[in-house]
Amino acid sequence: MPLESAAERVSVITEVLDNILSRIDCSDNARCARTCRKWKDVALDYVWRNNPPLKAVFDVLVPLTGRGNDEDRELVFERALEPDDWERFETYSRRIQMLTISLDLGVVGTRLHGTISDSVFRNVAIRRPFFAILPNLKDLRIIFPALQPEDKWIENSILFLCDELKSIDLVYHLDQELETLPVLLKEIAFRSSHITDFSLKLLPCVSYIEDELADTISRLVYLKRFNVSSCVLTSQIILFTSALLNLQEISVDRDFVKGGFANDAEESLLHFPELQSAFPSLVKLTLQNRLSTITQFVQPKNLFAKLLNLKIDMLYFNTPTDLQACLESLSRACPVVQLLEFVLFEDPTGSLVDANFFDVNPVTSATLSSLPFFPHLTDFSLTFLNPVVMSDDELLALLMRCQKLRSLHLNCEPFYNTGTTLTLGVLALLAHEKKEMLELSIYIDASSEKMTTLPPVTDALSNLQYISFGISPVTVDRTLLLYLSKLLPESCRMDVEPKFSADLEDQLVADVEEQMHDCREGWKKVKDILPLLIAARLDEKERLCSVI
């Protein structure tokens, strides 16, 4: 039967259909798959592509049924596998690109509804007519049980390793040895040697897998991104990792356990060995630690001569003095870095939050005096407990020495609020002297008292694309709005969203929560009104030009 309308003809174009179905959820895609044969393939791809429950994957072969009592219930195949089962299974298995294997409580297909029996994995492994049961699997995440380790689940996970895998994530939160973990690591090197992303979130007991892990890493010659707990970084692991020619990104996380940090006595970063010609392709590094530890880590080394992107998740309470020392060390260790980011890490254990550790000293121009010694720096971001306190002229002088800097995010939401001497006048100075700025986040005093002494606006920040004033004190009045309308281009986006989670803000600044809320509401009003004023000013400018 011919198609009856243009809409029907368009609805079966693969590219159009793919764009539409990518925007709806799994259940709606399942209904679309039953609606029309021409929609079926595309819709089923979205149903099965990302993280189908493991039970559902096996159910396609032969339905699983429960066996045993509620406490020790196991899921087994209700009948033996037959050749026709594999033909049906292949229709769905080739669609799966992401899979999570977990034995945690509450995951469908695990203990809450019954544990998938070992016999299911054995039957599939023995009777499969092809080596890779999920031939297009790209992303595999294996979460070892949080209650007690079960080696059989590690061994069973090997079944899903294949040559097409690009990303493997291993998460294990117990400080106990697992006999089959070295076996899994060897199999990863043998079966999935083309992976480009490897994540290892393990707790301290790693000595028993050190040799196997080092050998595995040495064989992952295509590896580009490596995310690892700091306890895993023994000298041997670092040695083999540093020789990978294609490794571009490393993220080193501290080791969290309930109630605090694991492996706290040994700062593994400080045991980083001296290496020559190490990390030849590394361009991005993320470190999660104290600033004082990172300062010691980078001082004697010459490992990061090509590093372009450095992010530091700051743990515990760091003083402006710690920040200044860290910047000085980094300016010598990372001579070509372009993006430098310091972020206040949101500790899941809550051990960060203790007002007794606040250092009331502000961040000053002296704290940031090393920034000009990063000659290629284009983006700098700082999130800190303490406010930045410097004059408009001091900030301008600092930025004028950072010749390539185009993006500055300078702690627009400090948690320890002692006020600031920066005003809106700094924007007028930047518009005149450094109008090439693209992004700007600063904490200023925009109250009515400060608006009376601002310098005149002689130019606009015509290239500015983004601005945020965070929780800066503000009086929303005609003077402020007119001043900003002269400075900001029509295309500039003003961001008024909180930069931290509500939980963290509640813990740190409960006593000034109302003040922060008022400041945010004030800037939201500015954001609503300002585009109208800017548009009206541009219209007036065009009208005057046409008259002339």
Side-chain angles (χ1 to χ4, degrees):
M1 179 183 293
L3 295 175
E4 297 179 356
S5 69
E8 287 178 312
R9 289 195 294 272
V10 169
S11 70
V12 295
I13 298 174
T14 303
E15 292 79 6
V16 174
L17 186 59
D18 187 72
N19 189 284
I20 294 171
L21 297 184
S22 68
R23 301 169 188 272
I24 62 178
D25 61 24
C26 185
S27 58
D28 286 337
N29 269 310
R31 283 190 283 272
C32 288
R34 296 190 293 268
T35 299
C36 165
R37 289 182 180 179
K38 293 184 180 294
W39 290 11
K40 180 179 177 181
D41 266 354
V42 180
L44 282 177
D45 279 345
Y46 281 103
V47 171
W48 286 92
R49 180 177 299 170
N50 294 330
N51 258 337
L54 191 55
K55 179 182 181 299
V57 175
F58 287 130
D59 268 333
V60 173
L61 262 173
V62 173
L64 295 175
T65 184
R67 183 179 65 186
N69 56 41
D70 290 340
E71 290 185 2
D72 300 313
R73 192 165 182 255
E74 283 191 322
L75 298 176
V76 298
F77 286 137
E78 64 179 22
R79 60 171 175 80
L81 290 169
E82 298 176 356
D84 288 347
D85 297 329
W86 291 106
E87 185 175 344
R88 181 180 60 256
F89 179 75
E90 191 175 12
T91 304
Y92 296 92
S93 65
R94 63 180 174 81
R95 304 176 190 276
I96 300 173
Q97 297 184 16
M98 180 186 296
L99 184 69
T100 298
I101 302 172
S102 172
L103 194 60
D104 286 342
L105 287 174
V107 179
V108 175
T110 59
R111 292 182 178 176
L112 185 63
H113 299 279
T115 303
I116 298 176
S117 170
D118 276 353
S119 65
V120 172
F121 292 93
R122 284 199 305 271
N123 274 325
V124 171
I126 293 170
R127 298 179 181 274
R128 56 183 169 173
F130 26 73
F131 181 77
I133 64 169
L134 303 179
N136 295 315
L137 188 65
K138 301 290 191 296
D139 189 339
L140 178 63
R141 181 176 172 84
I142 303 172
I143 304 175
F144 303 135
L147 298 180
Q148 55 181 327
E150 298 197 18
D151 281 5
K152 64 180 182 180
W153 271 76
I154 303 175
E155 191 173 344
N156 292 335
S157 301
I158 295 172
L159 183 64
F160 299 97
L161 298 176
C162 66
D163 194 52
E164 290 297 313
L165 267 177
K166 299 301 180 188
S167 175
I168 295 180
D169 189 357
L170 303 182
V171 182
Y172 179 55
H173 292 306
L174 290 180
D175 188 11
Q176 297 181 32
E177 294 187 7
L178 294 174
E179 293 181 2
T180 53
L181 186 53
V183 177
L184 175 61
L185 292 170
K186 288 181 179 179
E187 291 295 330
I188 288 174
F190 174 68
R191 300 172 184 241
S192 304
S193 60
H194 289 81
I195 63 171
T196 58
D197 294 68
F198 193 22
S199 179
L200 278 173
K201 301 295 181 66
L202 308 176
L203 284 188
C205 188
V206 295
S207 57
Y208 74 103
I209 63 167
E210 185 174 3
D211 291 340
E212 288 79 5
L213 179 56
D215 183 64
T216 297
I217 289 173
S218 70
R219 296 173 187 274
L220 300 179
V221 296
Y222 300 98
L223 194 66
K224 292 182 179 180
R225 286 165 288 275
F226 189 34
N227 189 336
V228 61
S229 302
S230 61
C231 64
V232 177
L233 287 179
T234 64
S235 296
Q236 183 181 4
I237 302 301
I238 293 166
L239 180 64
F240 282 91
T241 303
S242 69
L244 294 174
L245 296 178
N246 293 303
L247 187 63
Q248 298 176 4
E249 300 180 18
I250 298 178
S251 179
V252 183
D253 297 342
R254 286 289 275 126
D255 316 305
F256 286 103
V257 293
K258 187 175 181 180
F261 294 110
N263 200 28
D264 210 24
E266 179 184 359
E267 293 286 3
S268 59
L269 282 183
L270 300 183
H271 298 272
F272 221 83
E274 291 279 4
L275 300 169
Q276 297 296 324
S277 303
F279 304 107
S281 301
L282 190 68
V283 295
K284 182 176 182 180
L285 177 65
T286 300
L287 299 173
Q288 193 179 92
N289 220 301
R290 302 177 180 91
L291 285 181
S292 57
T293 299
I294 293 171
T295 300
Q296 296 177 64
F297 164 60
V298 299
Q299 272 181 345
K301 318 267 186 322
N302 186 26
L303 301 178
F304 310 118
K306 297 181 180 179
L307 196 67
L308 300 178
N309 186 328
L310 176 60
K311 178 183 177 184
I312 295 174
D313 291 329
M314 297 179 290
L315 300 183
Y316 299 109
F317 285 85
N318 299 279
T319 67
T321 303
D322 294 332
L323 177 61
Q324 182 174 353
C326 190
L327 281 170
E328 290 173 357
S329 293
L330 291 174
S331 67
R332 294 187 291 269
C334 309
V336 298
V337 73
Q338 297 178 2
L339 190 152
L340 182 56
E341 185 175 4
F342 290 85
V343 178
L344 182 65
F345 184 73
E346 296 198 29
D347 175 7
T349 70
S351 59
L352 265 175
V353 181
D354 188 342
N356 294 325
F357 286 95
F358 275 141
D359 181 330
V360 297
N361 294 313
V363 175
T364 65
S365 57
T367 311
L368 306 177
S369 58
S370 294
L371 283 186
F373 297 101
F374 295 91
H376 302 278
L377 190 66
T378 60
D379 297 73
F380 179 71
S381 180
L382 172 67
T383 305
F384 214 67
L385 294 172
N386 312 58
V388 175
V389 176
M390 62 179 78
S391 69
D392 297 346
D393 290 331
E394 285 176 326
L395 180 57
L396 176 65
L398 178 65
L399 297 185
M400 289 298 291
R401 295 176 62 202
C402 302
Q403 296 184 3
K404 293 190 176 182
L405 193 70
R406 299 292 181 268
S407 176
L408 177 69
H409 298 274
L410 197 57
N411 207 36
C412 65
E413 292 198 354
F415 286 115
Y416 193 80
N417 187 355
T418 57
T420 180
T421 52
L422 278 174
T423 71
L424 272 180
V426 74
L427 298 186
L429 298 177
L430 290 174
H432 183 65
E433 301 289 348
K434 200 171 176 64
K435 63 189 307 178
E436 63 269 20
M437 293 297 294
L438 300 176
E439 295 187 4
L440 192 60
S441 300
I442 51 176
Y443 180 71
I444 63 170
D445 188 347
S447 59
S448 55
E449 294 82 4
K450 296 291 184 180
M451 295 301 297
T452 58
T453 58
L454 296 181
V457 178
T458 59
D459 208 342
L461 286 161
S462 53
N463 294 310
L464 201 66
Q465 301 171 2
Y466 171 98
I467 194 164
S468 175
F469 297 108
I471 56 170
S472 300
V474 60
T475 303
V476 183
D477 57 17
R478 181 175 180 274
T479 304
L480 175 121
L481 291 167
L482 288 176
Y483 198 81
L484 282 175
S485 71
K486 298 176 185 178
L487 285 164
L488 302 182
E490 191 174 22
S491 58
C492 182
R493 178 173 71 89
M494 180 176 285
D495 185 7
V496 295
E497 296 301 318
K499 303 298 183 291
F500 296 98
S501 68
D503 289 342
L504 186 61
E505 289 193 352
D506 287 344
Q507 293 178 64
L508 286 171
V509 289
D511 56 328
V512 293
E513 185 176 359
E514 185 176 347
Q515 176 188 345
M516 291 177 61
H517 178 267
D518 291 343
C519 292
R520 287 204 179 102
E521 289 301 310
W523 289 112
K524 285 180 181 178
K525 292 179 183 178
V526 172
K527 180 182 178 180
D528 291 339
I529 300 171
L530 195 58
L532 302 176
L533 286 178
I534 294 174
R537 184 174 294 281
L538 292 175
D539 289 343
E540 179 66 14
K541 185 176 180 179
E542 288 180 7
R543 188 186 67 79
L544 290 174
C545 289
S546 64
V547 170
I548 295 173

